[in-house]
Amino acid sequence: MELWQVPLLFSRLPMFPFFDLAHYVASVMALKEQRGAVEVSVRSPVACWFSAMLYCFGGSVLSSLMLAEPPVAFLAKGTNILLASSVWYLVFYCPQDIFYRCFAFLPLRLLVAGMKEVTRTWKITAGVAHADSHFKDAWLVMVAVGWARGAGGGLISNFEQLVRGVWKPETNELLKMSYPVKVTLIGAVLFTLQHCQYLPIARHNLVFLYTVFLVVSKVTMMLTRSATSPFAPFEAAIGHMFFGLQKTPSKVKGEGAASSNGSSVCDRSSSEQHRDGVKKRQAKKTE
C-alpha cells in the first residue's frame, strides 16, 4: 500500500459497529456528567433513555425535520437503537459503576473521543449529500443540513434539557457556540464547497485532513484540559474587524454592576445627609 492510498482507504472505513459504538459511549457519558442526569435516571428511566437517544441521534432528528422527513426515522435502525440503549443501560445502571469508570480511564477516553470525531466527519458528508439529493446545488441548504447532521446533539440541547426537566435558554448554542458546533459548521462549509466543485481538492483527501484536524484538536484539548477554542484568536480579530466587538459581555456587565453600585452608594449617602439635616432642624426647634 502506497502513502497516497491512505486517505482513499480511510474514506471507505465503515462506521458500524466500532465507530458508532464509540460515538454512543462518548455521548451517553457526556449525558451522565450533566448536572442532575443521575437523579433523572433514578426518578424516570424513560426520560433518561430518551435524552440519551437525543444525544446519540440528535443529528438525524434535526436534519430530518429540516428536510420535512419523519424525525423518528432513526428508530427504524433497530440494531443501532439496541446498541445505543445497551450503552445507556451500562453507563447508568452497571453495578458499582464499572462500565463508566472503565471508559473514564484517560487512554480509553481519548480513544473513544477520537473515534467519535471520525463519525462527525462521516455525518457531515452524509448530510451534505442528502441535502443535495433534495435541493440540487442549493449550497445554503447543504451547509445547514450538514451542520445539523454533524452537531445536532448540541443544536437541540435545549430540547434535550427540557426532557430532563431543565430549562436554560441562555445555553442556546446559537447564542454561545461550543467548539464542536463551530468546527462542524466549518466542516459543513468546506464539504459543501468541495461537493459543488468550488474547492479544488478530492473528497477523500478533504475527509482525511479534516478528520485528522478534529482528532488532534480534540485529544489536545482533553490532555491540556483547555476549554478555549483554537479559533478564538480568529474570532476576536474578525469580530473586531467587521462588528466592532471590543468588550466582552461579562466586562460590560461588570462595569454596569459597578456603576449601579456606585450610584446606590451615592443615593444612600445623600439620603443619610438629608436625614441628618432634618434631625438637626428638629433639635433646634425643640431648643
Side-chain angles (χ1 to χ4, degrees), residues 213-250:
F213 173 77
L214 286 182
V215 174
V216 171
S217 60
K218 181 66 174 181
V219 171
T220 302
M221 292 175 68
M222 292 180 66
L223 288 174
T224 58
R225 298 188 179 183
S226 173
T228 305
S229 170
F231 307 121
F234 303 100
E235 294 173 10
I238 293 174
H240 178 70
M241 184 182 302
F242 293 102
F243 305 105
L245 301 179
Q246 296 179 355
K247 296 181 179 180
T248 60
S250 59

Side-chain angles (χ1 to χ4, degrees), residues 112-132:
V112 168
M115 294 176 70
K116 176 181 169 63
E117 295 305 313
V118 175
T119 65
R120 189 186 304 278
T121 304
W122 263 248
K123 290 177 182 179
I124 295 172
T125 56
V128 170
H130 190 56
D132 184 59

Side-chain angles (χ1 to χ4, degrees), residues 23 26-28 30-31 34 50-59 116 123 153 160 164:
H23 167 66
S27 299
V28 179
L31 171 61
Q34 297 296 313
F50 190 61
S51 293
M53 296 304 103
L54 290 177
Y55 260 78
C56 295
F57 303 100
K116 176 181 169 63
K123 290 177 182 179
E160 182 277 324
R164 293 186 284 114

Side-chain angles (χ1 to χ4, degrees), residues 265-280:
V265 170
C266 294
D267 293 339
R268 286 197 299 269
S269 61
S270 60
S271 62
E272 290 174 359
Q273 291 175 359
H274 178 71
R275 286 197 298 269
D276 292 339
V278 172
K279 289 180 180 180
K280 290 179 179 179

Side-chain angles (χ1 to χ4, degrees), residues 186-203:
I186 294 173
V189 172
L190 291 176
F191 284 106
T192 298
L193 293 175
Q194 190 279 329
H195 190 85
C196 296
Q197 298 182 352
Y198 292 120
L199 199 62
I201 185 174
R203 178 181 173 274

Side-chain angles (χ1 to χ4, degrees), residues 59-71:
S60 298
V61 173
L62 184 57
S63 60
S64 297
L65 287 173
M66 295 175 68
L67 294 174
E69 296 177 345

Side-chain angles (χ1 to χ4, degrees), residues 24-100:
Y24 301 150
V25 171
S27 299
V28 179
M29 287 180 65
L31 171 61
K32 185 172 183 177
E33 291 164 358
Q34 297 296 313
R35 180 177 298 179
V38 176
E39 289 77 6
V40 172
S41 67
V42 176
R43 187 171 65 250
S44 177
V46 175
C48 182
W49 175 84
F50 190 61
S51 293
M53 296 304 103
L54 290 177
Y55 260 78
C56 295
F57 303 100
S60 298
V61 173
L62 184 57
S63 60
S64 297
L65 287 173
M66 295 175 68
L67 294 174
E69 296 177 345
V72 295
F74 73 95
L75 294 174
K77 301 177 181 179
T79 305
N80 295 76
I81 294 296
L82 180 61
L83 186 61
S85 300
S86 301
V87 171
W88 162 76
Y89 183 83
L90 291 173
V91 169
F92 279 95
Y93 303 103
C94 184
Q96 305 298 323
D97 220 10
I98 295 176
F99 189 86
Y100 174 82

